Amino acid sequence: MMQIYADNAATTKMSKAAIDAMLPYLDTIYGNPSSLHSIGQEANEALSKARERIAKLLGCEAGEITFTSGGSEADNQAIVSAARIGEKRGRKHIISTAFEHHAVLHTLNKLEKEGFTVTLLDVHSNGMVTAEQVEKAIRQDTCLVTIMYANNEIGSVQPIKEIGEICKQHGIIFHTDAVQAAGHLHINVNEQNIAMLSLSAHKFHGPKGVGVLYARKGIALTNLIEGGAQEHGKRSGTENIPAIMGMAAAFEEACANIDSNSEKLIRMRDRLIEGLSEIPHSVLNGDRYSRLPSNVHFCFEGIEGESLLLLLNDKGICASSGSACTSGSLDPSHVLLAIGRPHEIAHGSLRLTLSEENTDEEVAYIIESVKGVVEYLRSISPIWNDMCSGRKSFV
Ligand SMILES: *Cc1c(COP(=O)(O)O)cnc(C)c1O
């Protein structure tokens, strides 16, 4: 049976370049970069080079890069650090949005319990927030604005540069969770007025368990992990050299191919959107144009997302109902609720996230399969039956 992977927002397959870049550091150059002997020093040199290579791709300096265990840790450390800086100056107000990743939202919840005030901006029904909304929410005591670059569920891409500009004018730290954007959209932290940024290797064909926190020079980081003072003393623990090497290689490859990959992805994405829009009582989530080239996200009335996923899996299609982190819970996605989708329709969600390895043939098969499965599920759905007979109204 055909096996189609369309869940690249959850994680990606490692690229050959990334695997090849890791192997020597598992096998021969396995030293601890803090050791003074040659095997250690060789690893240390590779670490410095990797830091420079990644800095170059973000448009920053090597000293502004801290390696972390992934996007979640980078988000946590960015937000806690900015909060501690604000606190020292008597500023304990933070601006964010209702549709951030839980790594951001749960860190903000923790700070609220400590006495910080958090304003979560309303997200428009197209999955966007505006720089004007950010400006209106700014107070005398605002210390941090944290807004994601691209949403991991519905794929909407935010006006990061404009938001950064507002923050710069007001002297407020701007952090962006760029985990879905890195390697897929162009990033330049200076041009885009970004003071802090998180990324994660496994979302761009690198290994899992490694990421980056960029923090502009002068922003003091707060340690989340104490120990041997690695990473300029800001993130202890022996560096995960193989993973860092894999991340550097994957990031270079992804950034070099952004334009050609995007072109291919947008063509496949738009075909999928067109095809699935033909399903009656379906709605596309996220902005039609300001969206990740890889992301397709629909809600279908009258069905359960879980059943849809299981039946698609039987047809060899790996998809998601939204965030990998909330699957298994019966609550509808906080992202869909944030954009104003009612509970009834938020349950029937489907996220298809492509990679450049997908093909037109697979796209055609996905469209045909989703159409068939939605039709079947509706044929056995009491709610759908009630809607069709007028006992219950369509959303
Ligand atoms: C995947 C993801 C994260 C978490 O990254 P990990 O490396 O898995 O910890 C954070 N934010 C967004 C937007 C993501 O998509």
Side-chain angles (χ1 to χ4, degrees):
M1 186 180 64
M2 186 149 48
Q3 172 92 311
I4 299 173
Y5 188 73
D7 198 15
N8 287 277
T11 196
T12 57
K13 175 179 150 180
M14 276 186 70
S15 71
K16 179 153 191 324
I19 294 170
D20 287 347
M22 288 178 77
L23 289 176
Y25 297 89
L26 295 164
D27 189 6
T28 45
I29 317 167
Y30 48 79
N32 185 323
S34 299
S35 301
L36 292 179
H37 50 64
S38 56
I39 299 186
Q41 283 312 295
E42 218 180 312
N44 194 36
E45 264 161 45
L47 177 66
S48 304
K49 288 226 178 74
R51 201 184 302 281
E52 280 165 20
R53 288 158 64 197
I54 290 170
K56 194 169 161 211
L57 295 168
L58 293 174
C60 67
E61 288 171 24
E64 297 173 311
I65 298 288
T66 301
F67 292 121
T68 67
S69 66
S72 299
E73 186 187 336
D75 282 342
N76 274 254
Q77 191 168 16
I79 292 165
V80 168
S81 300
R84 295 296 167 242
I85 293 167
E87 198 168 31
K88 276 194 201 135
R89 301 157 69 196
R91 292 161 69 161
K92 295 181 74 171
H93 175 242
I94 299 173
I95 298 169
S96 188
T97 76
F99 78 160
E100 297 299 311
H101 190 273
H102 283 132
V104 168
L105 290 177
H106 291 174
T107 305
L108 294 177
N109 287 344
K110 235 165 63 176
L111 289 168
E112 271 182 316
K113 287 192 191 119
E114 277 184 30
F116 281 80
T117 309
V118 176
T119 301
L120 294 183
L121 301 176
D122 289 332
V123 184
H124 292 274
S125 57
N126 64 347
M128 301 290 289
V129 292
T130 64
E132 292 76 54
Q133 280 179 281
V134 173
E135 185 153 42
K136 277 207 192 109
I138 290 176
R139 311 192 323 199
Q140 285 291 329
D141 61 341
T142 304
C143 60
L144 167 68
V145 171
T146 173
I147 294 178
M148 67 202 320
Y149 196 137
N151 185 269
N152 50 301
E153 292 190 36
I154 59 175
S156 51
V157 178
Q158 307 305 315
I160 288 308
K161 185 178 175 181
E162 289 72 22
I163 293 170
E165 176 71 39
I166 298 288
C167 294
K168 201 159 121 184
Q169 284 165 12
H170 290 264
I172 296 166
I173 293 177
F174 174 46
H175 165 254
T176 187
D177 172 341
V179 174
Q180 289 292 331
H184 305 283
L185 301 173
H186 291 287
I187 298 178
N188 181 299
V189 290
N190 288 322
E191 279 171 18
Q192 292 173 298
N193 310 305
I194 298 166
M196 304 182 96
L197 174 144
S198 313
L199 62 79
S200 176
H202 76 100
K203 303 289 176 74
F204 52 75
H205 304 288
K208 292 168 183 56
V210 66
V212 162
L213 170 58
Y214 153 77
R216 179 168 293 159
K217 210 185 314 175
I219 297 178
L221 294 183
T222 299
N223 294 35
L224 301 183
I225 298 172
E226 305 294 344
Q230 286 88 353
E231 296 298 300
H232 347 282
K234 294 305 171 192
R235 204 284 181 181
S236 292
T238 303
E239 299 88 342
N240 189 350
I241 302 286
I244 291 168
M245 299 313 288
M247 171 164 66
F251 198 33
E252 277 174 345
E253 190 181 35
C255 289
N257 296 316
I258 284 181
D259 293 328
S260 55
N261 285 344
S262 292
E263 201 186 303
K264 181 176 184 203
L265 285 167
I266 287 171
R267 202 184 64 235
M268 292 192 291
R269 177 196 74 186
D270 290 352
R271 265 193 73 195
L272 265 175
I273 290 177
E274 231 172 84
L276 298 183
S277 295
E278 288 169 7
I279 297 174
H281 298 280
S282 64
V283 56
L284 176 73
N285 296 303
D287 194 76
R288 176 68 185 83
Y289 300 102
S290 185
R291 77 184 297 131
L292 288 168
S294 55
N295 178 288
V296 175
H297 192 297
F298 273 88
C299 284
F300 304 106
E301 277 192 61
I303 62 164
E304 284 290 336
E306 300 263 303
S307 329
L308 177 59
L309 289 186
L310 294 176
L311 291 177
L312 287 177
N313 186 51
D314 289 344
K315 292 180 178 295
I317 299 170
C318 305
S320 159
S321 60
S323 157
C325 322
T326 47
S327 63
S329 92
L330 287 174
D331 296 334
S333 137
H334 71 286
V335 174
L336 294 179
L337 298 182
I339 62 168
R341 298 284 180 240
H343 279 247
E344 303 91 286
I345 189 165
H347 277 295
S349 64
L350 173 68
R351 180 185 71 182
L352 298 159
T353 45
L354 304 171
S355 89
E356 57 284 357
E357 283 187 22
N358 290 112
T359 64
D360 290 333
E361 191 194 0
E362 290 177 345
V363 166
Y365 178 77
I366 293 173
I367 294 171
E368 181 198 332
S369 304
V370 174
K371 279 181 171 172
V373 169
V374 169
E375 198 172 328
Y376 167 71
L377 286 172
R378 283 176 172 173
S379 75
I380 58 167
S381 156
I383 296 171
W384 181 255
N385 193 23
D386 283 352
M387 286 170 167
C388 291
S389 62
R391 277 191 298 275
K392 197 171 182 301
S393 59
F394 290 104
V395 177

